[in-house]
Amino acid sequence: AQSVTQPDIHITVSEGASLELRCNYSYGATPYLFWYVQSPGQGLQLLLKYFSGDTLVQGIKGFEAEFKRSQSSFNLRKPSVHWSDAAEYFCAVGPSGYSTLTFGKGTMLLVSP
Amino acid sequence: EAGVVQSPRYKIIEKKQPVAFWCNPISGHNTLYWYRQNLGQGPELLIRYENEEAVDDSQLPKDRFSAERLKGVDSTLKIQPAELGDSAVYLCASSLIGGGGNEQFFGPGTRLTVL
């Protein structure tokens, strides 16, 4: 069975500092991996996705993520956080983007001035 | 291009009452998903449609939940009767298989509170 672990429930980062959100997955085959962001009262917005190829993927809003098969990880990074990045971030895995996705429990990002 | 539309955005009901949620996917999207998101959790799939066919409803509590997708476009999710544990955000998503994007687009959700 597929599963996703986001070990950090909350993370606080100072504005302008770098950010890394952790995601570990369990999946029996080559996974499709996703990072979504959810602002309060909003639906989920796709930040980036990985299917194959270059293990460093670029997304919207200056985010990037690196797929490491040996560590079963897909961590999300941003070099300089803005106050508007405060939101909840979800990592997800599935057999494709169209199939049933399994989401982690999310990491709430707080940005301090 | 309009996104996924859901209504109502908020609903408060008493337990044992029925409730229904409506979703209008992005125009042309052939696949529609209903997810439930409990507080402090990630979304969990309830049902997935490809056109009019429910291709994955393994996590749908069929004793009280039902869903339909009329003419392969709009969809309605119903709970009857509602229980306290059904309080959650119900998210609808859509995608276009074969469209190349390989991603799901989410609506804003319906927040259900059962008293």
Side-chain angles (χ1 to χ4, degrees), chain A residues 11-17 81-86 109-113:
Chain A
I11 282 185
T12 300
V13 175
S14 298
E15 190 168 16
V81 169
H82 188 262
W83 63 266
S84 60
D85 293 323
L109 173 64
L110 305 174
V111 180
S112 61

Side-chain angles (χ1 to χ4, degrees), chain B residues 1-68:
Chain B
E1 175 183 277
V4 176
V5 179
Q6 293 187 247
S7 69
R9 292 294 310 276
Y10 305 91
K11 189 74 176 178
I12 301 174
I13 61 171
E14 302 213 339
K15 62 181 180 182
K16 300 185 181 179
Q17 294 300 305
V19 65
F21 314 125
W22 176 79
C23 173
N24 181 241
I26 292 173
S27 179
H29 279 196
N30 48 21
T31 304
L32 185 146
Y33 316 75
W34 282 104
Y35 288 87
R36 177 168 60 186
Q37 185 177 19
N38 293 314
L39 188 63
Q41 304 291 319
E44 295 178 328
L45 184 79
L46 290 173
I47 189 167
R48 174 165 61 97
Y49 284 94
E50 288 182 14
N51 299 306
E52 297 179 0
E53 182 183 359
V55 296
D56 184 355
D57 64 355
S58 57
Q59 300 303 311
L60 187 73
K62 298 181 182 65
D63 56 337
R64 296 183 301 108
F65 286 64
S66 65
E68 61 180 1

Side-chain angles (χ1 to χ4, degrees), chain A residues 32 34 36 38 41-46 49 51 88 90 96-106, chain B residues 9 33 35 37 40-43 45 48 56 91 95-104 106-108:
Chain A
Y32 284 64
F34 306 83
Y36 284 87
Q38 186 177 36
Q42 302 297 313
L44 280 73
Q45 181 183 21
L46 182 67
K49 56 191 176 186
F51 303 148
E88 191 156 23
F90 292 92
S96 80
Y98 308 122
S99 300
T100 300
L101 297 181
T102 297
F103 287 82
K105 294 185 177 182
Chain B
R9 292 294 310 276
Y33 316 75
Y35 288 87
Q37 185 177 19
Q41 304 291 319
L45 184 79
R48 174 165 61 97
D56 184 355
L91 295 165
S95 65
L96 176 60
I97 294 180
N102 218 328
E103 64 181 273
Q104 300 173 27
F106 284 80

Side-chain angles (χ1 to χ4, degrees), chain A residues 34-107:
Chain A
F34 306 83
W35 275 101
Y36 284 87
V37 61
Q38 186 177 36
S39 298
Q42 302 297 313
L44 280 73
Q45 181 183 21
L46 182 67
L47 288 175
L48 46 78
K49 56 191 176 186
Y50 171 77
F51 303 148
S52 63
D54 192 346
T55 56
L56 184 63
V57 293
Q58 303 297 320
I60 62 171
K61 304 185 180 184
F63 285 92
E64 67 178 27
E66 186 171 12
F67 171 61
K68 293 185 177 180
R69 183 185 300 274
S70 61
Q71 299 178 18
S72 297
S73 69
F74 188 56
N75 294 348
L76 182 71
R77 300 194 294 249
K78 187 170 185 178
S80 178
V81 169
H82 188 262
W83 63 266
S84 60
D85 293 323
E88 191 156 23
Y89 292 78
F90 292 92
C91 181
V93 66
S96 80
Y98 308 122
S99 300
T100 300
L101 297 181
T102 297
F103 287 82
K105 294 185 177 182
T107 297

